[in-house]
């Protein structure tokens, strides 16, 4: 028995390199299992306890803070190259409680539970009094802006007809009065110029997703829309490592019907294809 | 620590430092 008041766990510095390795493994795991929204990046390690694990290894019990980046979870850009969403863009924080097993020098995530929350309106106003605040993604004006932007995009497209997959975030801009929206689209088997009945279009078997940013501005007697979309290169479906050690196909319909498949564990670098701009 | 010469000063492991550094900004 060890001397002194043995509490069962070891304490490490939150900035200990081993602690950071465990935290980065947890963030990577969380990002690979997000089904919508944006990748998160490690901001701060709040707490860490290291428990011995029988018969081998040790378990890092941690609390970590993350920040939303501007990279969508379907974006193959490596996390290290993803800019953090700034305060004036209405930042979003994540709070995670994770258990990470270290065994034979390897980190494996056993569990992860995260809650995300936007910065308070008061805090945004402090740094940027005129900045637009996040609004619910199902806001009527937001949905209209996304649909109008996608229609404009398809009207200018010489390729596939794209369908709306997800509205990822949106802000109502006070001056000039406009709606800013970021959304995900997916290519269908229809040709954009020839579509007559959208309900007959099907998503491609090799899913091809795109990410769009649009601003819809109200004008006297009408509205104006500006949209830019980035189409991601088709990504192979790879088995996703699970906490219980089994592998699961990312797009397995038994798990998440009709949900976009998460990006691969090691996405190819520099695989972005820039689509048309309207 | 300040001590008289010849007087032993208790030294132990530094307490762990948590929370860790903020990499970007605090929300």
């Amino acid at each position: 028995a060890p001397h002194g008041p043995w509490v069962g766990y070891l304490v490490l510095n939150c900035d200990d390199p081993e602690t950071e390795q465990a935290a980065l493994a947890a963030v990577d795991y969380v990002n690979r299992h997000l089904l919508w929204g944006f990748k998160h990046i490690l901001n701060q390690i709040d707490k860490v306890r290291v428990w011995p694990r029988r018969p081998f290894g040790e378990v890092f019990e941690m609390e970590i803070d993350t920040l939303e980046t501007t990279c969508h979870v379907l974006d193959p850009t490596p996390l290290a190259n993803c800019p953090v969403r700034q305060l004036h863009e209405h930042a979003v924080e994540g709070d995670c409680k994770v258990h990470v097993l270290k065994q034979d020098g390897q980190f494996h995530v056993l569990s992860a539970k995260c809650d995300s929350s936007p910065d308070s309106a008061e805090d945004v106003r402090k740094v940027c009094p005129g900045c637009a605040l996040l609004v619910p993604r199902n806001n009527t004006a937001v949905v209209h802006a996304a649909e109008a932007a996608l229609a404009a995009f398809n009207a200018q497209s010489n390729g596939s007809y794209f369908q709306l997959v997800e509205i990822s975030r949106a802000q109502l801009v006070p001056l000039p009065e406009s709606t800013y929206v970021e959304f995900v689209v997916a290519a269908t088997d229809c040709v954009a110029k020839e579509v007559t009945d959208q309900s007959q279009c099907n998503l491609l078997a090799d899913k091809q997703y795109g990410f769009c940013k649009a601003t819809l501005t109200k004008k006297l007697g009408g509205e104006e829309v500006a949209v830019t979309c980035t189409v991601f290169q088709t990504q192979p479906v790879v088995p996703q490592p699970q906490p219980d050690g089994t592998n699961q196909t990312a797009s397995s319909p038994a798990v998440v019907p009709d949900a976009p498949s998460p990006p691969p564990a090691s996405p190819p670098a520099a695989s972005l294809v820039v689509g048309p701009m309207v | 620590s300040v001590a008289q010469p010849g007087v032993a000063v208790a030294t132990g492991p530094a307490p762990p430092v948590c929370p860790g550094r903020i990499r970007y900004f605090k929300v």
Side-chain angles (χ1 to χ4, degrees), chain A residues 13-15 43-45 65, chain B residues 17-18 20-21 23 25-26:
Chain A
N13 285 341
C14 279
D15 285 335
N43 188 36
Q44 188 178 33
I45 299 168
D65 290 342
Chain B
V17 181
C18 279
R21 67 188 171 95
R23 287 156 179 79
F25 50 82
K26 198 69 184 168

Side-chain angles (χ1 to χ4, degrees), chain A:
Chain A
H3 296 288
W6 173 243
V7 288
Y9 58 84
L10 300 172
V11 280
L12 277 182
N13 285 341
C14 279
D15 285 335
D16 185 280
E18 203 176 19
T19 309
E20 185 165 15
Q21 269 187 287
L24 291 174
V27 171
D28 178 59
Y29 176 90
V30 169
N31 283 329
R32 279 189 287 110
H33 288 79
L34 284 173
L35 294 176
W36 70 273
F38 298 88
K39 296 181 190 183
H40 276 239
I41 199 163
L42 179 63
N43 188 36
Q44 188 178 33
I45 299 168
D46 286 333
K47 289 180 186 171
V48 58
R49 289 176 174 178
V50 184
W51 298 86
R53 190 246 200 184
R54 292 177 187 165
F56 308 110
E58 48 196 2
V59 173
F60 288 69
E61 179 188 16
M62 312 173 73
E63 291 183 24
I64 58 178
D65 290 342
T66 63
L67 285 173
E68 184 186 272
T69 70
T70 60
C71 292
H72 192 268
V73 291
L74 294 171
D75 185 338
T77 303
L79 181 63
N81 297 342
C82 293
V84 170
R85 186 81 63 178
Q86 295 299 302
L87 285 167
H88 68 266
E89 299 172 284
H90 204 162
V92 175
E93 181 193 38
D95 287 306
C96 300
K97 291 181 178 176
V98 301
H99 288 87
V100 183
L101 169 67
K102 185 184 181 189
Q103 192 172 327
D104 302 326
Q106 301 288 315
F107 292 92
H108 306 276
V109 177
L110 301 175
S111 72
K113 180 183 182 300
C114 299
D115 295 303
S116 66
S117 54
D119 195 5
S120 70
E122 293 74 21
D123 285 353
V124 177
R125 294 274 184 245
K126 271 183 209 167
V127 295
C128 181
C131 280
L133 298 175
L134 282 171
V135 290
R137 297 176 298 131
N138 62 357
N139 177 294
T140 311
V142 169
V143 174
H144 170 67
E147 289 175 347
L150 181 54
F153 178 80
N154 277 321
Q156 295 288 316
S157 172
N158 290 317
S160 295
Y161 174 79
F162 279 80
Q163 276 183 356
L164 181 63
V165 173
E166 160 202 309
I167 294 175
S168 307
R169 67 163 17 229
Q171 290 158 286
L172 297 182
V173 183
L175 283 175
E177 191 178 345
S178 53
T179 306
Y180 175 75
V181 59
E182 297 183 4
F183 57 96
V184 174
V185 294
T188 68
D189 54 4
C190 292
V191 176
K193 297 277 190 217
E194 300 170 0
V195 171
T196 50
D197 183 2
Q198 301 158 7
S199 64
Q200 297 300 309
C201 303
N202 305 298
L203 295 184
L204 300 178
D206 291 331
K207 302 282 191 301
Q208 189 177 37
Y209 293 105
F211 181 69
C212 303
K213 299 176 181 180
T215 300
L216 186 138
T217 309
K218 287 184 181 172
K219 300 278 181 184
L220 203 61
E223 55 193 23
E224 185 178 280
V225 64
V227 57
T228 57
C229 295
T230 303
V231 178
F232 305 136
Q233 217 170 49
T234 308
Q235 296 163 38
V237 175
V238 293
Q240 297 288 299
Q242 297 297 300
D244 61 4
T246 60
N247 281 337
Q248 184 182 68
T249 304
S251 61
S252 168
V255 180
V256 191
D258 300 324
S261 52
S266 303
S271 58
L272 293 181
V273 179
V274 179
M277 188 173 85
V278 178

